[in-house]
Amino acid sequence: LRRSSGDPEAARPLFEGAYTIALETEQHFLAADAAHMVALVAGDRAGFVDWTQRGIAVAMRHESASYWLGPLLNNLGWEYHEAGDFQPALDAFERALRARERDGSNAQAIGIARYAVGKTLRALGRAGEAIPLLERAVAWTEKESSPDGWFHEELAEEYVAVGRDEDARAQAALAIPLLQRDDPSFPDDADRVARLRALASA
């Protein structure tokens, strides 16, 4: 409640206390969750990474907490990705994908994990390796009749990176209306809108 009401500093000692008590009482699922929450209110990158790594360590040691490997590694990957540290981001995302696939119970989360790996591979100049991952993610959304604009957008970028311009046009054309529908920030991101429209009409 304190974090949700905009007071992360007040929330942090409560999350830290929950982490300590959960470890002491061997409630490992809760300990990993508490570490995840401390990371979110840490206020700086070092704290975020440290607490995320603590949660990952708990999740790796205890089967009862293994669910948290996927979310924690995903969070760590995006922290690195947004800082431009693409190799450690890729390492985290690939581990997250393996964790999601081992669990197998959340197909949407597996698709998102494939998206994250693919996006990072493209950032590393390895779009050709990324394409099969995004194609599988898109295929799942089509099977479920639940199209995802972010997946189509990323696949368009990967196709154009390897010279498959016609395929890129098709994916960009699919992405635009879906992002207009589902992503409130999309209409206000002039560069992103212009990029996709250029791809769709190229």
Coordinates of all heavy atoms in Angstrom, one line a residue, residues 122 131 155-165 167-168 195 199 202:
R122 N 18.8 -8.5 -31.6 CA 18.9 -7.5 -32.6 C 19.8 -6.4 -32.2 O 20.5 -5.8 -33.0 CB 17.5 -7.0 -33.0 CG 17.5 -6.0 -34.1 CD 16.1 -5.7 -34.6 NE 15.2 -5.1 -33.5 CZ 15.1 -3.8 -33.2 NH1 15.9 -2.9 -33.8 NH2 14.3 -3.4 -32.2
I131 N 14.9 -13.8 -35.3 CA 13.7 -14.0 -36.1 C 12.9 -15.2 -35.7 O 11.7 -15.1 -35.5 CB 14.0 -14.0 -37.6 CG1 14.3 -12.5 -38.0 CG2 12.9 -14.5 -38.4 CD1 14.9 -12.4 -39.4
L155 N 9.3 -8.0 -34.8 CA 9.6 -8.8 -35.9 C 9.8 -8.0 -37.2 O 10.6 -8.4 -38.0 CB 8.4 -9.8 -36.1 CG 8.6 -10.9 -37.2 CD1 9.9 -11.7 -36.9 CD2 7.4 -11.9 -37.1
A156 N 9.1 -6.9 -37.3 CA 9.3 -6.0 -38.5 C 10.7 -5.5 -38.5 O 11.4 -5.4 -39.5 CB 8.3 -4.9 -38.5
E157 N 11.2 -5.1 -37.3 CA 12.5 -4.5 -37.2 C 13.6 -5.6 -37.5 O 14.6 -5.3 -38.1 CB 12.8 -4.0 -35.8 CG 11.9 -2.7 -35.5 CD 12.5 -1.5 -36.2 OE1 13.4 -1.6 -37.0 OE2 11.9 -0.4 -36.0
E158 N 13.3 -6.8 -37.1 CA 14.2 -7.9 -37.3 C 14.3 -8.3 -38.8 O 15.4 -8.5 -39.4 CB 13.9 -9.1 -36.5 CG 14.1 -8.9 -35.0 CD 13.5 -9.9 -34.1 OE1 12.9 -10.8 -34.6 OE2 13.6 -9.8 -32.9
Y159 N 13.1 -8.3 -39.4 CA 13.1 -8.6 -40.9 C 13.9 -7.5 -41.7 O 14.6 -7.9 -42.6 CB 11.7 -8.7 -41.4 CG 10.9 -10.0 -41.1 CD1 9.6 -10.0 -40.8 CD2 11.6 -11.2 -41.1 CE1 8.9 -11.2 -40.6 CE2 10.9 -12.4 -40.8 CZ 9.6 -12.4 -40.6 OH 8.9 -13.5 -40.3
V160 N 13.6 -6.3 -41.3 CA 14.3 -5.2 -42.1 C 15.8 -5.3 -41.9 O 16.6 -5.0 -42.8 CB 13.7 -3.9 -41.8 CG1 14.2 -3.2 -40.5 CG2 14.0 -2.9 -43.0
A161 N 16.2 -5.7 -40.7 CA 17.7 -5.8 -40.4 C 18.4 -6.8 -41.2 O 19.6 -6.7 -41.4 CB 17.9 -6.1 -38.9
V162 N 17.6 -7.8 -41.7 CA 18.3 -8.8 -42.5 C 17.9 -8.7 -44.0 O 18.1 -9.6 -44.8 CB 17.9 -10.3 -42.0 CG1 18.5 -10.5 -40.6 CG2 16.4 -10.6 -42.1
G163 N 17.2 -7.6 -44.3 CA 16.9 -7.3 -45.7 C 15.6 -8.0 -46.2 O 15.4 -8.0 -47.5
R164 N 14.8 -8.4 -45.3 CA 13.5 -9.0 -45.8 C 12.4 -7.9 -45.7 O 11.5 -7.9 -44.9 CB 13.1 -10.2 -44.9 CG 14.1 -11.4 -45.0 CD 13.8 -12.5 -44.0 NE 12.5 -13.0 -44.1 CZ 12.0 -14.0 -43.3 NH1 12.9 -14.6 -42.5 NH2 10.8 -14.5 -43.4
D165 N 12.5 -7.0 -46.6 CA 11.7 -5.7 -46.6 C 10.2 -6.0 -46.7 O 9.4 -5.4 -46.1 CB 12.2 -4.7 -47.6 CG 13.6 -4.2 -47.3 OD1 14.1 -4.4 -46.2 OD2 14.2 -3.6 -48.2
D167 N 8.6 -8.7 -45.9 CA 8.1 -9.3 -44.7 C 8.0 -8.2 -43.6 O 7.0 -8.2 -42.8 CB 9.0 -10.4 -44.2 CG 8.9 -11.6 -45.1 OD1 7.8 -11.9 -45.6 OD2 9.9 -12.3 -45.2
A168 N 8.9 -7.3 -43.6 CA 8.9 -6.2 -42.6 C 7.7 -5.3 -42.8 O 7.1 -4.9 -41.8 CB 10.2 -5.4 -42.7
R195 N 8.5 5.7 -37.6 CA 9.3 4.5 -38.0 C 8.5 3.4 -38.5 O 8.7 2.8 -39.6 CB 10.1 4.1 -36.8 CG 10.9 2.7 -37.0 CD 11.9 2.8 -38.0 NE 12.7 1.6 -38.1 CZ 13.5 1.3 -39.0 NH1 13.8 2.2 -40.0 NH2 14.2 0.1 -39.1
L199 N 8.2 1.8 -42.3 CA 8.4 0.4 -42.6 C 7.2 -0.1 -43.3 O 7.4 -0.9 -44.3 CB 8.6 -0.4 -41.3 CG 10.0 -0.2 -40.6 CD1 10.0 -1.0 -39.3 CD2 11.1 -0.6 -41.5
A202 N 7.3 1.1 -47.0 CA 8.6 1.1 -47.7 C 8.5 0.1 -48.9 O 7.7 -0.8 -48.9 CB 9.7 0.6 -46.8

